[in-house]
Amino acid sequence: MQDVVQTVAGLVLLVAAADLLVKGASSLASRYNVSPLMIGLTVVSLGTSMPEMLVSVTAGLQGSADLAVANVLGSNLFNILVVLGVAAMISPLRVHNSTVVSEIPFSLSAAILLGFLANAALFTTKQELSISRLDGGILLLFFMLFMLYIFSLSDSSNNDDLPDPVTRAVSRSVALIVAGIAGLYLGGEWAVEGAVAIARNWGVDDAVIGLTIIAIGTSLPELMASAAAAMRKEADIAVGNVVGSNIFNILWILGVTASIKPLPFDVISNLDIVMVIAATMLILLAVVTSRTATISRPWGGAFVCIYLVYMVYVVQRS
């Protein structure tokens, strides 16, 4: 019963914290004429990726490489198929041209890069696959390139055509962002700990927990933040949060984790990488097939259905 209470408390905290984060970020963006997309790709993405960072780094240090990698890949799948899917069903998401030609392809490239680095041993005399410290450094290098690109947007963005959210005092906006990030961190931790305890009491395999419950649990901040943004008609934050979080997860979180301690890589995880690549391409397909560059409600529903089917496969695979 205690595990159930802890899980529910975590979910409630996640909902409240996500709303605080979106309000603070939107207000700050409006005051400083910063694109909401940039805020979504940086502040919101970093804040909602904190649970993944906590789980993956801890798992890597404890020698649970499968959990560290599965958490990132599972979280990225959940972000695309469920977070974007649910957000689109709440309110169709208009995607900017820069996101289609730059940010989403960068996210796609990050997944392809991870797949190449994880399987690089196939082209050498090494017998075991792994994400080495060198690989971690390469991932971090690409992450720095991404951040340079994002900050270059602040010099060229024009927000005159964007709706202005309620503008609050800077100190209050910052306080909302800090409170939101702290709440997301604690809420995600409580929800994951409770859910994992429940799953283990039911005899669920640890590998399944990594790809499903932990991945879903650590992605709940992204879900709550993007859903809150969609309800507030902040499509840029909703989309930017998902794309940014996926890039953070692969390049930053796995980069840091592998740099601290090399991560042995299970060949079966290649299927999950392929699924992340395919899901990212689905975003582009949804946008280019729309006359208004929008992820529509039907596409949102399709995303969620694809995720459910894949989760059934993951459970059967285990």
Side-chain angles (χ1 to χ4, degrees):
M1 184 62 182
Q2 181 179 352
D3 297 330
V4 175
V5 172
Q6 180 177 345
T7 303
V8 173
L11 293 174
V12 171
L13 182 56
L14 283 170
V15 174
D19 190 54
L20 292 177
L21 180 59
V22 172
K23 286 180 179 177
S26 299
S27 178
L28 206 61
S30 175
R31 176 170 289 276
Y32 289 104
N33 199 35
V34 176
S35 166
L37 176 62
M38 181 179 175
I39 293 293
L41 285 166
T42 54
V43 176
V44 179
S45 294
L46 178 60
T48 56
S49 292
M50 288 181 68
E52 284 94 336
M53 171 66 85
L54 173 70
V55 170
S56 291
V57 171
T58 301
L61 291 175
Q62 294 178 350
S64 301
D66 288 343
L67 179 58
V69 176
N71 174 43
V72 166
L73 295 178
S75 293
N76 279 21
L77 279 175
F78 187 86
N79 286 347
I80 296 172
L81 299 178
V82 177
V83 175
L84 271 187
V86 170
M89 287 191 289
I90 293 174
S91 178
L93 303 173
R94 178 72 179 271
V95 182
H96 281 231
N97 289 336
S98 65
T99 303
V100 176
V101 301
S102 300
E103 288 91 33
I104 295 177
F106 202 104
S107 180
L108 179 63
S109 299
I112 295 174
L113 176 64
L114 175 61
F116 172 77
L117 294 176
N119 292 276
L122 296 175
F123 305 98
T124 67
T125 57
K126 295 181 180 179
Q127 296 181 349
E128 295 183 355
L129 300 181
S130 69
I131 303 174
S132 65
R133 285 192 175 92
L134 175 60
D135 297 334
I138 293 174
L139 292 174
L140 290 177
L141 174 62
F142 276 85
F143 176 74
M144 294 304 298
L145 293 175
F146 173 70
M147 293 307 297
L148 288 174
Y149 160 74
I150 290 300
F151 285 113
S152 71
L153 295 180
S154 62
D155 298 327
S156 59
S157 61
N158 184 358
N159 302 311
D160 294 337
D161 59 337
L162 295 175
D164 292 330
V166 177
T167 303
R168 299 175 174 82
V170 174
S171 58
R172 188 180 178 189
S173 297
V174 172
L176 288 174
I177 292 173
V178 172
I181 291 175
L184 289 171
Y185 177 84
L186 291 175
E189 189 175 48
W190 291 351
V192 170
E193 287 181 355
V196 169
I198 293 171
R200 286 179 176 167
N201 288 336
W202 290 348
V204 179
D205 185 77
D206 282 351
V208 177
I209 293 175
L211 264 174
T212 56
I213 295 178
I214 292 182
I216 293 172
T218 54
S219 291
L220 286 176
E222 283 91 340
L223 175 60
M224 300 307 175
S226 286
M231 287 186 287
R232 297 172 63 84
K233 306 299 181 181
E234 293 284 354
D236 283 344
I237 290 182
V239 176
N241 173 39
V242 167
V243 176
S245 290
N246 280 13
I247 294 173
F248 271 59
N249 287 348
I250 291 178
L251 300 182
W252 171 245
I253 294 178
L254 281 185
V256 169
T257 305
S259 297
I260 296 173
K261 187 174 183 178
L263 301 172
F265 184 79
D266 191 338
V267 67
I268 195 68
S269 295
N270 281 320
L271 294 175
D272 303 316
I273 293 179
V274 170
M275 189 62 186
V276 170
I277 293 172
T280 306
M281 294 178 68
L282 273 179
I283 303 177
L284 294 174
L285 181 62
V287 173
V288 299
T289 55
S290 169
R291 293 182 179 178
T292 57
T294 300
I295 303 176
S296 63
R297 286 190 174 93
W299 270 108
F303 281 10
V304 174
C305 290
I306 292 172
Y307 180 81
L308 293 176
V309 171
Y310 189 71
M311 284 302 99
V312 171
Y313 160 72
V314 167
V315 173
Q316 292 179 340
R317 184 181 74 186
S318 66

